Amino acid sequence: MITAAAVLQLLVLAGALYDTGGLLTSPGARRPMWPRPRRGRAALEAAERQLVEQRLHGRIDAAAYRERMRSIADGRRPRAGHHG
């Protein structure tokens, strides 16, 4: 029982030291594990906003909206033109 408590305390201490070390390092030294291209993500977000606007104003029907939103979710820009 005492051994388990000691191991748990060591794990908590190691986690606290790790977090403190992460806070003390410069932001430039930290790299995201899976960097995403900003331009691609921004383009998909813009396409999503445009698609929602088209749906809200009645320029496309529900089926076309679902199809195009699915392509955005898959990481592809929806086809231009072709209003349904």
Side-chain angles (χ1 to χ4, degrees):
M1 187 72 159
I2 294 174
T3 308
V7 169
L8 288 175
Q9 288 178 348
L10 286 175
L11 285 174
V12 169
L13 179 64
L17 290 175
Y18 178 79
D19 285 344
T20 303
L23 290 173
L24 294 177
T25 59
S26 66
R30 286 182 255 154
R31 293 182 187 162
M33 291 179 66
W34 295 285
R36 295 181 179 166
R38 291 178 188 254
R39 278 186 277 158
R41 185 174 56 201
L44 288 174
E45 289 174 357
E48 183 178 356
R49 281 192 301 273
Q50 182 180 15
L51 185 60
V52 169
E53 181 181 328
Q54 289 174 352
R55 179 68 182 131
L56 289 175
H57 292 293
R59 289 184 234 144
I60 59 173
D61 62 358
Y65 176 78
R66 279 192 303 271
E67 176 186 339
R68 293 178 190 179
M69 195 58 83
R70 185 175 295 124
S71 70
I72 289 174
D74 290 339
R76 299 183 315 264
R77 289 195 44 115
R79 294 184 317 232
H82 186 264
H83 297 293

